[in-house]
Amino acid sequence: MFTRESQYEDLKILYLESGFVTSDEANCGYEDYIFAVRKKWLFDYMSMVADHEITEEWLDNWLLNEYTGDDSYQVYMAAELQGEIIFEGPIYPKGKVNRCLYTVRDELRTDGEYEDQMYLQTTNKEEALKRFDKEVEKVKKQIKDGDFFLRDVDGEIRTRIADGLPALEFEDEDGDYYYLYVERTEFSDWRR
């Protein structure tokens, strides 16, 4: 029986790689994620899924030497579904951590001025790409409606990929370029 008094007795901690819990592994700032379950629950779960008899010695050895990231993920998902996770969270490394900042920048549309405008800064690449797509749709609508400020300038709009990130590029008749783009800036963060 699970009671408040037994909550922290004989817990087992398992590790997950960050890729199992976040889609933005490169920028999450951590490499490992831990979670804890009660040893009795883990023993019962392993007894149910294993194709051989489980002993406490086998379970301890499996935890120390054998379990893989896939095994840990299966345990995590089962424990989460059954409400058996006692605690969980990321493990941040000490010292210097390299991260990326993504910025959606626009020099295509700023009230007719050739000025750079920043729409979003985030460490989440997917969030930046969604905002970029939203701004591209706005540009397409402005062009379709005749509201694009460069409408009286001959030129061509095209998409391109630079450093793995998208850009909408406009080249005017003089060969000048203007962009709506996602920019990546690497920076270091210190953890204690």
Side-chain angles (χ1 to χ4, degrees):
M1 177 180 186
F2 182 66
T3 65
R4 183 170 172 76
E5 289 74 32
S6 68
Q7 183 174 4
Y8 300 109
E9 289 179 10
D10 216 4
L11 295 179
K12 292 300 178 183
I13 296 174
L14 290 93
Y15 289 82
L16 285 171
E17 294 175 7
S18 60
F20 283 109
V21 290
T22 179
S23 60
D24 195 16
E25 188 175 2
N27 296 299
C28 66
Y30 59 90
E31 295 175 7
D32 292 319
Y33 191 86
I34 63 168
F35 66 99
V37 295
R38 291 177 303 119
K39 182 177 182 178
K40 178 171 180 2
W41 178 86
L42 183 59
F43 184 86
D44 292 344
Y45 172 77
M46 292 304 295
S47 295
M48 186 178 64
V49 298
D51 58 358
H52 54 84
E53 184 179 341
I54 303 296
T55 64
E56 286 197 22
E57 294 78 25
W58 181 90
L59 183 62
D60 290 339
N61 183 58
W62 181 78
L63 287 168
L64 286 173
N65 302 311
E66 295 181 29
Y67 84 92
T68 66
D70 288 338
D71 295 332
S72 185
Y73 181 68
Q74 295 301 321
V75 171
Y76 176 81
M77 294 305 292
E80 185 176 51
L81 285 172
Q82 296 176 26
E84 289 290 339
I85 295 176
I86 304 300
F87 68 84
E88 64 181 307
I91 300 293
Y92 291 98
K94 291 183 178 181
K96 189 175 179 183
V97 177
N98 291 324
R99 299 176 69 192
C100 292
L101 180 68
Y102 295 93
T103 307
V104 178
R105 294 190 178 274
D106 185 358
E107 55 189 39
L108 280 176
R109 305 163 295 148
T110 48
D111 297 322
E113 301 293 327
Y114 294 147
E115 295 174 1
D116 191 12
Q117 180 159 335
M118 183 172 41
Y119 291 112
L120 175 72
Q121 280 191 318
T122 180
T123 56
N124 185 323
K125 181 179 180 182
E126 282 150 21
E127 182 182 0
L129 293 174
K130 283 180 186 174
R131 181 58 188 262
F132 172 80
D133 290 341
K134 182 178 174 183
E135 295 304 322
V136 167
E137 290 305 312
K138 288 180 184 177
V139 168
K140 288 179 180 178
K141 184 175 181 339
Q142 288 174 327
I143 291 171
K144 181 181 173 193
D145 295 346
D147 295 332
F148 188 57
F149 82 92
L150 292 172
R151 66 184 172 273
D152 296 329
V153 178
D154 288 333
E156 178 184 356
I157 283 195
R158 57 187 166 263
T159 56
R160 68 179 183 89
I161 302 293
D163 297 325
L165 296 170
L168 192 62
E169 173 184 89
F170 177 79
E171 180 183 7
D172 70 13
E173 57 196 8
D174 296 328
D176 294 323
Y177 291 90
Y178 306 94
Y179 299 95
L180 170 65
Y181 61 102
V182 179
E183 173 184 65
R184 178 178 48 230
T185 306
E186 292 187 14
F187 68 97
S188 296
D189 191 8
W190 288 90
R191 305 272 184 202
R192 294 179 196 198

